[in-house]
Amino acid sequence: MGKKKDNAAEPAKKKKKKKGAPEEKITVLGLDEKPVEQTTLATGVPTIKDLMAPPSIDRSNPDYIKVGNKYARNFIIAGYPKMIAVGWADSIYNYDGDLDLAIHVNPTDERNALDELTNKITQFEAQLSTELEKGSNRNITRLQNQIQELYAERQKVEQNYISIFGIQMIMNLYCQSLDQLNKETQLLDNSLKGRKIKLMPTYLQMDQGYKSALPFGKSWLPKNYRNFSSEGLTACFPFYNAEISHATGVFVGVNLQTATPIYIDFEDRRVLNNGNVTVFGCAGSGKTFLVSLLTMRSALKQVRTVIIDPEGEYRTITQSLGGATIVIAPDSTSLINPFDIEEEDEVDDDGRPTGAKIVKINEKVADLLNLIGVMCGTIDNEQRSLISYVISELYADFGFTEDPSSLYLDNVDLNSRGEFVHHGRKKAMPTFSDFHKKLEQVAQNDSNKCLVNVANALRMFKKGGVYGMFDHQTSQSLQNFKEAPVVTFDVSQLEESILRPIGMFIALNWAWEKFAKKNIKQKKRIVCDEAWMLTNKNMVGHEFTAQFLETTSRRIRKRNGGLLVASQNFKEFSDNPQGQAVLTNASVNIFLKQNSTDIDDVQETFKLSDGERNFLSTAKKGHFLLKMGQESTVGFAKAFEYEKYLIEKKTISAVS
């Protein structure tokens, strides 16, 4: 007690500031609690801590906290709706007041989750037994339903279909006065009661509750957790943009958060770079129904559509819209000549027509080279070069050049009125047999022996061969469908591993030649369903079909059109450069429920949040995530009763 204090403990003596001396340094504690040197000129400037922290906190009242000049009350959600779906918490997220919300998520051990579910089942079964003795029918039905739901949930956990999480939702409500805080508390409570959400003030625990709602990533209320499945967890996060909708366009669906309609103008280049769309969803997700809705509603906007249908799913909607279904099959009378070539409107780099007509023979040669590649399975660079030469020479033999007049006969006929008329009749087009004959001639040259195997492999595609259905002139009946609002090519009867990709390719090529290239002013769309068949590496000749699909996605914009690609299997579609290019080139991407085998690839490709991932893993039929660039929203493919009838009625007719 009488000991002399250490010099270090003595107060620092003030020193006079010498003239011309540097400014005195003052030590200030920063966020990391390490000394930070400041000059006297900076004295009084608030630190980051000062800016974040309130000037004072009064914890003396058990029912609220005074934070600076504001009054705050902390709540925890103690009761949840029976059904947790996307949008259930919108009343909280959209509350027009000063409200902070924190969601604490803790994964639950699977074994513990199963034990809890089993205990609940045992508890409810015991209650049911008691109620059965009492004869209370209302309670009996309720308990039976709860037990059934619990058994179903336990089965999902056992099969790793879902996981169980502990969820705590806690919030701080701020007001300028205590009276206002009490009024806002009542308003908030009333707004949530309608959603079956029960609020509980953290009475006597306001301090712990208040801190738990701040962005510390920690809860000081460890006992107030509620078990949620991964399906329910998905619906807890407002991961989506509240609104994505254009002023005009096609009605795509209803926003799940705001219940407002979603309109997308696929044709307006002021809002979208192109009209390309992708739709991905697993079996039973509502993919075909959504594409049918878009086709029907686009038709009302004078958009004509050609559908490549590998599963025979679009006949009904085609017939309902007054369109035509063309069946491509070995015994079909609707024949397509893949060597057909058409003139087209010449366009500049911006897609504006120049007024001239042109025949792009080189482009057609490249397309047919891809077809030959699909038929052969593979061709090397030397063979590609020679095959390109053969196709070019074949068109030259028929007198075809880049001049559109070369496609037509020169004869002039005398009509019934004695007038000479040029009918513009097309010349006969080369066929596959013509190509194969010339290929064999070129292969006879000793320097071209590499073509011998190609010619041999292609014999089965000649008329009379096993796959000779593509060695014909195009049926005259197909010309009657030029003005149909929807034309569907049904290739479902073709053998899946070899013929179906070829049939899809030829139909897609026909759509390009006879549809996309024609009438630059006509708004148009090509739909390629189950497009994974054209990009899947397990399919014969996939590199050629994928290349043509990617090329179509790039060049259709200048023809006043768009490509809609739909598929069940995202991974098989995207697992090659051409598939990735199609995805990148699409202005609108729509995702319905995804398979567990695809969800990782979808998340990685489109940089989905965990909330978006969980939504797509558990989405209900017809629910979708729509992405446009960096924006996203969730919606539901709402259909009117007459639309359902037009899409789903059983009466169908087809041209075969």
Side-chain angles (χ1 to χ4, degrees), residues 387-399:
I387 293 169
S388 298
Y389 166 78
V390 170
I391 298 172
S392 298
E393 287 298 301
L394 178 65
Y395 282 120
D397 292 345
F398 276 72

Side-chain angles (χ1 to χ4, degrees), residues 77 80-90 93 103-105 153 156-157 161-169 226-240 610-620:
I77 297 183
Y80 294 82
K82 184 178 180 181
M83 297 298 296
I84 301 294
V86 172
W88 75 271
D90 288 349
Y93 299 133
I103 304 176
H104 298 280
V105 182
E153 188 166 352
K156 289 180 180 179
V157 174
Y161 183 72
I162 62 172
S163 300
I164 303 296
F165 298 86
I167 304 296
Q168 182 186 80
M169 299 184 71
R226 158 76 183 267
N227 285 339
F228 267 63
S229 69
S230 50
E231 296 172 342
L233 176 61
T234 302
C236 292
F237 297 94
F239 57 82
Y240 40 81
D610 289 340
E612 290 171 326
R613 174 195 171 98
N614 290 333
F615 173 80
L616 294 181
S617 297
T618 59
K620 297 179 180 179

Side-chain angles (χ1 to χ4, degrees), residues 27 60 69 110 135 151 211 216 220 238 288 331 340 362 427 431 449 489 491 507 546 566 580 600 606 620 646:
T27 299
S60 60
N69 296 323
E110 183 180 318
Y151 270 114
K211 291 189 294 183
F216 293 133
W220 281 265
T288 302
D331 58 348
D340 282 350
N362 289 337
K427 293 179 181 177
T431 63
K449 293 299 183 183
F489 287 90
V491 297
Q580 285 287 342
D600 287 341
F606 289 90
K620 297 179 180 179
L646 292 176

Side-chain angles (χ1 to χ4, degrees), residues 303-356:
V303 178
R304 294 184 63 214
T305 303
V306 169
I307 302 174
I308 314 301
D309 181 12
E311 302 293 342
E313 297 176 311
Y314 294 92
R315 288 189 176 188
T316 302
I317 185 62
T318 303
Q319 188 241 359
S320 296
L321 294 175
T325 296
I326 301 169
V327 178
I328 299 179
D331 58 348
S332 175
T333 57
S334 297
L335 305 172
I336 297 176
N337 181 8
F339 286 82
D340 282 350
I341 189 169
E342 294 284 338
E343 64 184 31
E344 60 183 292
D345 294 312
E346 188 179 52
V347 295
D348 59 22
D349 293 338
D350 296 322
R352 295 186 295 262
T354 64

